[in-house]
Amino acid sequence: MVQIVLPDGSQRDFPAPVTVAEVAQSIGSGLARAALAGRVSYDGKPSTLVDTSHLIERDAHLAIVTGKDPDGLEILRHSTAHLMAYALQDLFPEAQVTIGPVIENGFYYDFAYERPFTPEDLEAIEKRMMELARKDEVVTREVWSRNEARDFFLSVGEKYKAEIIDSIPENETLTMYREGSFIDLCRGPHVPSTGKLKVFKLMKVAGAYWRGDSKNEMLQRIYGTAWNSKEEQDAYLKMLEEAEKRDHRRIGRELDLFHFQEEGPGLVFWHPKGWTLWQQVEQYMRQVFRDNGYQEVKAPQILDLSLWKKTGHWDNYRENMFTTESENRVYGLKPMNCPGHVQIFNSSLHSYRDLPLRYGEFGQCHRNEPSGSLHGMMRVRGFTQDDGHIFCTEDQLQDECAAFTALLKKVYADFGFDNVLYKVATRPEKRIGDDEVWDKAEHALMESLRRTGCEFEISPGEGAFYGPKIEYTLKDAIGRHWQCGTIQVDFSMPVRLGAEYVDANDQRRTPVMLHRAILGSLERFIGMLIENHAGALPAWLAPVQAVVCCISASSSPYADEIAQSLKKQGFRVESDLRGEKITYKIREHSLQKVPYILVVGDKESQAGTVAVRARGGKDLGVMPLAEFSARLAEEVATRRDDIRTQQETA
């Protein structure tokens, strides 16, 4: 007798071993049709994802996985990646299949083929995928010996698969998944048959080095997306379409904010308007530093390699570091600011009365990111962090973490983000420090979030090598998630670098070090801001807050007078005195997404007024200059996005 316990606590007894599919069928035919896999647990141990063909031979807990579950969606995508490889090899038999994982919102597979795949090829592959899915071929799991699998792939010309298997110990057994004439190496699980794969789309082709190593040959990576329903896929494709319109790289060119070029890969060339935007963000954050007890500091860009070895960065992060040499000494270009801040702390002896001690820096860092991962300002090699480090006692730890979360929520609200997601990233496999220290650090972070009333998720193994962290993720205007802020608890680096304070009993103690950033990379955050607002930044951030346009040459002196008056009041204003038609001027500055366009002619000149147009074409009417100035000043001081609010309520 085999007893199965379901998620609702109910039990089902079977006279003999039973498959996941048979359990689903016993519950109902609808669930049986929807079942993609099972999550089974034996003897109270963590559950494991298994195929519906998995045979349960003894008492177990079981959850049936469908496409509505996160696990089910991942299985759909993984199985669709295999379907794509099946279809591609059916059309292009000489193509070699390499690696094809699930990624956020979809999947990809890398292929080796003699010529580049074209958009027409993708259409043909997708069409063939549809045909194979309609055949509803059974997907079966097979167990092979390591050598048997290697010999098979070599026999069919799949040298990349054979190379993967070469890295697996000889005594290992491997799982293979077969559908129709296609067979692939995979851990699984997979859908029970190709007919479960109904909603998918191939997106694009890109280059990718074999195993991500630029020394290896270039392969072709085909990206796709797959969903449980057509409605979900349509919503995703619509989001992508909107995201394309908001792409910060395109908007950066159109608004003359910044550019990138091959001679500086992963580095930003800031133009005057873009640097003005940068300064608004930086000066706002500098005020946050001042208002919350941070002392601003500046540490060197390069430090001797011996220091990076002491901190653990060289052993755990060297592949991401740039190095340089001078006079037979090797230096590391800093990928992060923390070691420099510890040196500043160590420059004098501190009392417990000095703690918590908060340092802040707009520190420029460099990381040797792979060229294939670079993406505008979202993934760069050179960036600036609104970085800070708090040196405190263990007793102060939770208060500091809770205060930081409260501060971060206020800052995000000022930038227009009210939807914040919280994740606690726990100890990774590769780390420094013992488990007792990690226990204390993880507990402190979780308790600080509970104290501030924040619900959070756990991200197992995603912490930094020196400590766990809270990751703060923002949801933007079109539903995308961006991980920005973080706070990390570090018991290890202060010990490694000899940081100490004197306690109330005149004893030397090691402080706890909190690594924290609110915006994270300023480059990335500004790119995110641009995309969130589609370039139509609120007035307090806009590089140009208003443009004064004259209708005719006779009103140009008055227009210039208005512009100069507003500039003296501290506003970022330009005047357009060209002899172009006023409709042309308005259209041009509207395309530049300027918050306010002030139009003046002879009538306004005589009356001492301005005709005000808000972004989006909203006519605010004619008003005295003082009234407009007061309006703009209040909007900037309160950091409200009045224009967007008016458009949303119109």
Side-chain angles (χ1 to χ4, degrees):
M1 182 71 69
V2 176
Q3 184 179 84
I4 304 297
V5 180
L6 300 174
D8 62 1
S10 63
Q11 299 177 0
R12 288 181 177 264
D13 295 327
F14 297 88
V18 63
T19 65
V20 172
E22 289 169 339
V23 175
Q25 183 64 51
S26 75
I27 297 171
S29 58
L31 182 61
R33 287 192 297 272
L36 300 179
R39 185 169 279 283
V40 65
S41 171
Y42 298 103
D43 303 322
K45 295 179 180 178
S47 62
T48 304
L49 274 174
V50 297
D51 298 291
T52 58
S53 60
H54 175 78
L55 188 65
I56 304 172
E57 299 183 280
R58 57 194 176 92
D59 294 354
H61 285 70
L62 173 67
I64 304 298
V65 176
T66 72
K68 295 180 180 179
D69 303 311
D71 286 336
L73 187 55
E74 184 164 327
I75 290 167
L76 279 173
R77 288 170 175 163
H78 195 175
S79 298
T80 307
H82 277 230
L83 182 68
M84 175 177 72
Y86 181 8
L88 187 143
Q89 280 202 320
D90 199 43
L91 294 172
F92 307 98
E94 300 302 315
Q96 291 190 63
V97 179
T98 67
I99 296 172
V102 173
I103 56 175
E104 185 178 10
N105 297 317
F107 58 89
Y108 70 76
Y109 228 123
D110 291 346
F111 300 95
Y113 192 55
E114 58 189 2
R115 66 164 177 81
F117 291 118
T118 65
E120 291 74 23
D121 291 333
L122 259 60
E123 290 180 13
I125 296 165
E126 187 176 307
K127 180 181 178 182
R128 185 60 179 143
M129 289 170 68
M130 293 287 188
E131 293 168 352
L132 293 172
R134 283 194 291 269
K135 290 174 70 175
D136 197 21
E137 295 179 309
V138 173
V139 178
T140 57
R141 178 180 184 270
E142 302 175 7
V143 178
W144 291 27
S145 71
R146 181 253 198 200
N147 290 340
E148 182 184 11
R150 181 183 183 277
D151 291 345
F152 167 76
F153 283 115
L154 284 175
S155 72
V156 295
E158 293 278 9
K159 70 171 187 176
Y160 295 94
K161 290 291 184 186
E163 185 177 327
I164 293 171
I165 295 171
D166 281 339
S167 63
I168 299 172
E170 285 195 26
N171 59 349
E172 292 282 328
T173 56
L174 307 178
T175 54
M176 310 280 278
Y177 279 83
R178 185 190 300 271
E179 50 195 274
S181 61
F182 180 74
I183 188 167
D184 201 0
L185 172 70
C186 189
R187 290 190 181 93
H190 281 277
V191 296
S193 68
T194 60
K196 301 291 185 184
L197 309 175
K198 302 179 185 298
V199 184
F200 51 80
K201 183 174 179 61
L202 300 187
M203 306 298 291
K204 63 179 181 179
V205 183
Y209 292 110
W210 168 233
R211 290 193 158 177
D213 189 338
S214 60
K215 296 176 183 177
N216 291 337
E217 56 268 48
M218 179 70 76
L219 305 175
Q220 297 186 70
R221 176 168 295 177
I222 299 181
Y223 288 93
T225 190
W227 298 84
N228 186 52
S229 70
K230 187 175 184 304
E231 292 74 19
E232 290 172 316
Q233 179 165 286
D234 288 346
Y236 172 69
L237 296 176
K238 184 176 181 181
M239 184 275 288
L240 286 184
E241 184 181 342
E242 183 63 26
E244 179 65 26
K245 296 176 186 175
R246 294 167 178 261
D247 190 305
H248 70 282
R249 295 166 296 182
R250 181 179 63 80
I251 293 175
R253 292 191 301 270
E254 292 174 352
L255 302 188
D256 193 25
L257 302 177
F258 52 79
H259 81 275
F260 304 89
Q261 62 187 63
E262 183 57 36
E263 290 80 1
L267 303 171
V268 186
F269 291 79
W270 290 96
H271 300 192
K273 288 182 179 179
W275 193 243
T276 298
L277 168 58
W278 172 286
Q279 286 297 316
Q280 304 319 303
V281 175
E282 182 180 325
Q283 294 307 320
Y284 168 83
M285 291 307 302
R286 182 164 276 120
Q287 186 64 51
V288 168
F289 279 175
R290 289 193 292 266
D291 291 347
N292 291 275
Y294 288 84
Q295 302 175 58
E296 192 171 340
V297 298
K298 189 70 174 176
Q301 285 294 108
I302 61 171
L303 294 167
D304 189 278
L305 200 61
S306 61
L307 184 63
W308 297 111
K309 289 181 178 179
K310 286 182 183 179
T311 63
H313 285 90
W314 189 246
D315 291 333
N316 294 277
Y317 204 72
R318 72 174 74 181
E319 67 274 8
N320 294 105
M321 292 180 64
F322 290 101
T323 58
T324 186
E325 294 185 25
S326 176
E327 297 180 342
N328 297 319
R329 293 179 69 179
V330 180
Y331 298 87
L333 190 61
K334 69 177 181 181
M336 50 196 68
N337 302 293
C338 31
H341 289 191
V342 180
Q343 305 314 304
I344 296 171
F345 180 87
N346 288 351
S347 66
S348 61
L349 185 61
H350 297 282
S351 163
Y352 70 96
R353 296 185 181 89
D354 299 328
L355 306 185
L357 184 59
R358 307 180 186 99
Y359 291 149
E361 178 180 1
F362 294 97
Q364 189 170 11
C365 301
H366 289 81
R367 297 179 184 174
N368 190 16
E369 302 284 0
S371 59
S373 70
L374 301 178
H375 179 75
M377 294 200 299
M378 303 309 188
R379 192 75 177 265
V380 291
R381 286 177 171 164
F383 59 95
T384 301
Q385 292 179 310
D386 63 319
D387 209 359
H389 293 89
I390 302 170
F391 298 87
C392 64
T393 67
E394 283 192 41
D395 291 341
Q396 296 167 333
L397 179 56
Q398 285 190 25
D399 287 342
E400 287 299 308
C401 291
F404 175 73
T405 295
L407 172 61
L408 175 139
K409 290 168 72 174
K410 180 186 180 303
V411 169
Y412 287 165
D414 282 347
F415 282 105
F417 298 101
D418 296 313
N419 194 337
V420 186
L421 306 176
Y422 306 89
K423 293 183 180 180
V424 178
T426 59
R427 68 198 75 185
E429 184 175 341
K430 190 176 182 181
R431 61 182 182 271
I432 57 178
D434 59 38
D435 285 343
E436 183 181 353
V437 165
W438 280 85
D439 288 341
K440 287 192 292 187
E442 290 170 357
H443 175 75
L445 290 180
M446 294 179 196
E447 282 303 308
S448 74
L449 287 173
R450 293 186 184 106
R451 284 175 52 182
T452 48
C454 300
E455 295 183 0
F456 60 90
E457 298 177 8
I458 304 293
S459 296
E462 295 297 318
F465 70 86
Y466 50 81
K469 58 184 175 178
I470 301 174
E471 295 178 338
Y472 303 88
T473 301
L474 303 181
K475 187 176 180 180
D476 72 6
I478 58 174
R480 295 172 301 181
H481 289 171
W482 303 90
Q483 196 270 305
C484 295
T486 183
I487 186 166
Q488 304 171 353
V489 179
D490 187 352
F491 284 91
S492 298
M493 192 177 297
V495 175
R496 286 178 167 236
L497 298 183
E500 293 181 329
Y501 69 95
V502 178
D503 70 10
N505 298 316
D506 289 331
Q507 299 295 311
R508 298 291 183 97
R509 301 289 186 189
T510 302
V512 181
M513 186 178 182
L514 301 179
H515 309 249
R516 41 67 72 223
I518 296 178
L519 306 185
S521 158
L522 265 68
E523 284 80 358
R524 185 170 185 267
F525 189 80
I526 290 172
M528 188 189 75
L529 270 178
I530 290 169
E531 295 197 2
N532 183 58
H533 293 283
L537 295 161
W540 75 279
L541 287 171
V544 178
Q545 295 170 320
V547 174
V548 186
C549 300
C550 61
I551 294 176
S552 62
S554 60
S555 55
S556 63
Y558 178 64
D560 189 52
E561 178 187 332
I562 291 293
Q564 295 305 318
S565 174
L566 290 169
K567 287 179 182 179
K568 288 178 182 177
Q569 296 176 60
F571 299 119
R572 299 184 293 278
V573 179
E574 294 179 351
S575 56
D576 187 343
L577 309 180
R578 296 174 299 168
E580 303 285 353
K581 292 182 178 180
I582 191 63
T583 52
Y584 176 85
K585 294 181 183 181
I586 290 172
R587 181 179 183 277
E588 189 173 82
H589 297 302
S590 296
L591 291 173
Q592 287 295 299
K593 304 183 187 295
V594 177
Y596 293 102
I597 299 173
L598 310 183
V599 178
V600 297
D602 293 337
K603 183 178 178 181
E604 287 77 20
S605 178
Q606 294 169 6
T609 57
V610 291
V612 182
R613 296 174 63 91
R615 186 170 48 215
K618 185 173 179 61
D619 187 354
L620 301 182
V622 177
M623 63 184 72
L625 178 61
E627 183 179 337
F628 172 75
S629 299
R631 174 195 180 97
L632 182 55
E634 183 181 7
E635 190 174 338
V636 170
T638 58
R639 301 187 181 90
R640 296 198 311 265
D641 194 352
D642 284 354
I643 298 173
R644 189 178 302 276
T645 301
Q646 291 165 358
Q647 291 170 344
E648 289 173 352
T649 57

